[in-house]
Amino acid sequence: MMGTYNNILLAVDLHPSYDEYTIKKAVDFAKERNAKLTLLHCIEGIHAYGAVQGYQLIMEVEQQIEQEAKKALADLGKTYGIAPENQMLVQGPPQKVVIEKAKAMKADLIIVGGHGRHGISLLFGSTADGIMHHAQCDVLAIRAKS
Amino acid sequence: MMGTYNNILLAVDLHPSYDEYTIKKAVDFAKERNAKLTLLHCIEGIHAYGAVQGYQLIMEVEQQIEQEAKKALADLGKTYGIAPENQMLVQGPPQKVVIEKAKAMKADLIIVGGHGRHGISLLFGSTADGIMHHAQCDVLAIRAKS
């Protein structure tokens, strides 16, 4: 079925308390309509201006974060049947990265989710607002089950 | 098909420059999945604190606005095959009204749209943000074709 949304970008959080409800719902939504679903996770660099002495250590921490994110993303992909070529791990500010990647892949929908356990989420705060206002396509915000 | 969204509340703008693209897309989206779609339009009262002399005139203007909104909503419903019992015209602040009505009707998705011609819209500014943050269900923001 060629429906309203066929090429979906799901921005995931990979937070330790990440609520799988959100990704499961996004995957169900994509499957229902036979849409292509791409997983995107952003890693923000560590901001440590002037930390000359700690530079080596910060590099190591960043590499470790990236390794762990890569593994978490691959695990998610495996669990939900999303092929590795449809998984993206990008370093940069989430709002900018999500909007740019959506544009580059000609996504017709961006899905952002939030883990509701603590009522806070990177992707349900100002980042979600920014995505909603600046994206060139539609945006679906999935609220985590509370 | 019982899919991810079956009971959808579409908050419409009824602005003179309203872009029909948004409502058409929302209707297509609902039809694809055989979901119930309810149209909601909010009218904000005119704020004129202290305007004792103009009270009668303000009442008349408010009534006229309500009449016109009723007609515009009925026209939209007719064009897109939405039954009168699935059309709501409510007076009050849009964010509060949309969230309350969604809760009352147990909506599983709120759709907000924006008319993109001038890059501004009641439902794509702080109201959309407020709905996204405070709604108890998922929110889909449809961007008007620019």
Side-chain angles (χ1 to χ4, degrees), chain A residues 118-146:
Chain A
H118 310 295
I120 48 155
S121 164
L122 181 67
L123 289 174
F124 228 124
S126 60
T127 301
D129 288 352
I131 291 171
M132 195 169 74
H133 288 287
H134 299 290
Q136 298 188 352
C137 63
D138 298 351
V139 179
L140 172 63
I142 294 184
R143 177 161 302 276
K145 219 162 191 165
S146 53

Side-chain angles (χ1 to χ4, degrees), chain A residues 12-87:
Chain A
V12 290
D13 217 325
L14 301 183
H15 191 276
S17 74
Y18 187 78
D19 193 334
E20 294 223 347
Y21 170 80
T22 306
I23 183 168
K24 195 182 170 318
K25 194 160 184 183
V27 169
D28 286 347
F29 179 81
K31 274 192 187 153
E32 270 172 20
R33 47 204 318 114
N34 244 332
K36 184 186 162 201
L37 182 69
T38 302
L39 275 185
L40 169 63
H41 178 63
C42 303
I43 308 176
E44 281 196 278
I46 295 171
H47 300 289
Y49 180 75
V52 178
Q53 304 308 324
Y55 186 69
Q56 187 58 38
L57 186 61
I58 287 170
M59 289 274 287
E60 283 169 24
V61 172
E62 281 191 340
Q63 278 169 10
Q64 199 186 325
I65 289 172
E66 192 177 333
Q67 286 309 314
E68 283 173 11
K70 216 173 251 178
K71 195 189 167 306
L73 195 61
D75 286 350
L76 265 187
K78 210 170 179 181
T79 306
Y80 292 103
I82 296 159
E85 62 266 28
N86 294 333
Q87 301 169 16

Side-chain angles (χ1 to χ4, degrees), chain A residues 69-121:
Chain A
K70 216 173 251 178
K71 195 189 167 306
L73 195 61
D75 286 350
L76 265 187
K78 210 170 179 181
T79 306
Y80 292 103
I82 296 159
E85 62 266 28
N86 294 333
Q87 301 169 16
M88 283 194 283
L89 187 67
V90 182
Q91 199 163 41
Q95 178 184 322
K96 190 166 168 279
V97 168
V98 170
I99 289 171
E100 282 179 3
K101 290 293 168 188
K103 196 177 168 189
M105 63 180 264
K106 294 189 171 59
D108 46 25
L109 183 70
I110 296 170
I111 301 182
V112 293
H115 44 87
R117 268 173 235 178
H118 310 295
I120 48 155
S121 164

Side-chain angles (χ1 to χ4, degrees), chain B residues 15-18 115-121:
Chain B
H15 191 275
S17 74
Y18 188 78
H115 44 86
R117 267 173 236 177
H118 310 296
I120 47 155
S121 166

Side-chain angles (χ1 to χ4, degrees), chain B residues 44-118:
Chain B
E44 283 196 277
I46 295 171
H47 299 288
Y49 180 75
V52 179
Q53 304 308 324
Y55 186 68
Q56 187 58 38
L57 185 63
I58 287 170
M59 290 274 287
E60 283 169 23
V61 172
E62 281 191 339
Q63 276 168 11
Q64 199 186 322
I65 289 173
E66 191 176 334
Q67 286 309 314
E68 284 175 10
K70 217 175 249 178
K71 196 190 167 303
L73 194 63
D75 286 350
L76 264 187
K78 210 170 177 180
T79 305
Y80 293 102
I82 296 158
E85 63 265 28
N86 294 332
Q87 301 170 14
M88 282 193 282
L89 186 67
V90 182
Q91 198 163 42
Q95 178 186 321
K96 190 167 168 279
V97 168
V98 170
I99 289 171
E100 282 178 2
K101 289 294 169 189
K103 196 176 167 189
M105 63 179 264
K106 294 188 170 61
D108 46 25
L109 183 70
I110 296 169
I111 300 182
V112 293
H115 44 86
R117 267 173 236 177
H118 310 296

Side-chain angles (χ1 to χ4, degrees), chain A residues 4 32-33 132 135 139 141 143, chain B residues 4 32-33 132 135 139 143:
Chain A
T4 39
E32 270 172 20
R33 47 204 318 114
M132 195 169 74
V139 179
R143 177 161 302 276
Chain B
T4 39
E32 269 172 20
R33 48 205 317 115
M132 195 169 75
V139 178
R143 177 161 303 276

